[in-house]
Amino acid sequence: MRKCPNCGSTSIKEEVDKTKIIGYSLHDPIYAKVFVCKNCTHRWKPGEEVVKAPEPTPEVPEPTPEVPEPTPEVPEPTPVIPESQPEEPESTPEEPESTPEEPPTSD
């Protein structure tokens, strides 16, 4: 009894594979046959040993050796030169104008 190589079901039908011509009878082509599982719709050719592929295991990345990451080069800050301001003439602190002292008058 045939079993589906994918799911193990015995519910199988035989179909004509019109993609593969194996010969001609007079002028009519003779097509290859293919089995189809009615349960999982898996297709395989007669006589073809299909080994169920193992379940893919999730790949675990290998730990990479710790290598210190290079620190990104940070350019040195350029010194900020203040814009030159026009020089103001130095002024002496203003002194209150004093009135000249008048000599006392005798009347």
Side-chain angles (χ1 to χ4, degrees):
M1 175 148 282
R2 291 188 179 104
K3 284 186 175 181
C4 173
N6 191 37
C7 68
S9 172
T10 56
S11 178
I12 297 184
K13 65 181 177 179
E14 188 176 299
E15 289 185 351
V16 176
D17 183 9
K18 291 196 175 190
T19 62
K20 180 91 175 184
I21 297 174
I22 58 173
Y24 289 93
S25 172
L26 297 176
H27 295 289
D28 297 328
I30 299 172
Y31 296 105
K33 295 180 181 177
V34 66
F35 295 119
V36 180
C37 176
K38 293 178 184 177
N39 188 28
C40 69
T41 68
H42 179 71
R43 299 172 67 92
W44 73 98
K45 296 176 185 173
E48 185 179 82
E49 277 191 49
V50 179
V51 179
K52 186 174 181 181
E55 295 291 322
T57 56
E59 291 187 29
V60 178
E62 294 182 20
T64 55
E66 291 189 28
V67 176
E69 293 184 19
T71 56
E73 292 184 27
V74 178
E76 292 185 25
T78 56
V80 178
I81 300 173
E83 292 183 21
S84 60
Q85 297 177 353
E87 292 184 21
E88 294 181 11
E90 288 186 28
S91 61
T92 56
E94 292 185 20
E95 295 180 14
E97 289 186 25
S98 58
T99 56
E101 289 185 24
E102 293 181 14
T105 57
S106 1
D107 282 321

